[in-house]
Amino acid sequence: MLGLSISGLTMYLSKYNAEGTIDHSFGTNGIAPGPTGAASEVLKVESQSNGRLLVLAQQPVGSGNTVVLGFTNTGVLDNTFGVGGVATIPTSGQIPTTMLLLPDNKILVMTTTFATGESRIYRLNPDGTIDTAFGTGGSTLIA
């Protein structure tokens, strides 16, 4: 079981045992911090088949990008995912709404623009890079 919280400019991922106690083998005493300033709102957590934990989040107001943070199953930012554990999707003006893992570990991220009602799907490779073979440059407009 996983928990998420944000304090100040830092997002924290925590892991709990089945009986509800904190798993002290995860991160530092059960808590794994994300990079400072990487996320102001956390939306979803998924686990890839290799055990990597993915966190869908929105960057703070100002940059407005969507990010997917990658953590190892031991609670450390996964430097083999994105850049330093963070995959940034340039979505200024769009809000991330959900994330779905595909059987091949590719990642779908859906965003919406409330002002226009448009929704877009982005596809990332399993390592957090944008899959430029999908749609136009890695995304497609769906509504």
Side-chain angles (χ1 to χ4, degrees):
M1 201 168 25
L2 296 169
L4 290 164
S5 64
I6 294 178
S7 178
L9 295 175
T10 304
M11 182 229 50
Y12 297 92
L13 181 63
S14 53
K15 186 174 179 184
Y16 297 87
N17 296 309
E19 70 277 357
T21 59
I22 197 153
D23 180 351
H24 291 282
S25 69
F26 183 80
T28 301
N29 292 319
I31 299 172
T36 300
S40 63
E41 182 178 354
V42 176
L43 299 151
K44 190 166 186 181
V45 178
E46 292 282 350
S47 180
Q48 288 180 309
S49 62
N50 63 2
R52 180 186 290 139
L53 303 171
L54 302 177
V55 179
L56 174 65
Q58 172 85 28
Q59 282 186 326
V61 175
S63 64
N65 289 321
T66 297
V67 293
V68 179
L69 303 160
F71 290 87
T72 65
N73 60 0
T74 61
V76 176
L77 269 175
D78 187 345
N79 288 324
T80 66
F81 184 81
V83 176
V86 181
T88 302
I89 305 169
T91 58
S92 185
Q94 301 170 41
I95 305 295
T97 55
T98 195
M99 172 175 64
L100 176 70
L101 294 182
L102 300 175
D104 61 359
N105 276 330
K106 289 191 178 187
I107 307 154
L108 293 179
V109 174
M110 185 173 171
T111 64
T112 192
T113 306
F114 291 115
T116 63
E118 290 182 347
S119 293
R120 184 168 288 277
I121 294 178
Y122 294 84
R123 189 167 75 184
L124 303 177
N125 293 308
D127 66 357
T129 58
I130 293 177
D131 183 355
T132 58
F134 179 76
T136 304
S139 74
T140 188
L141 187 64
I142 59 170

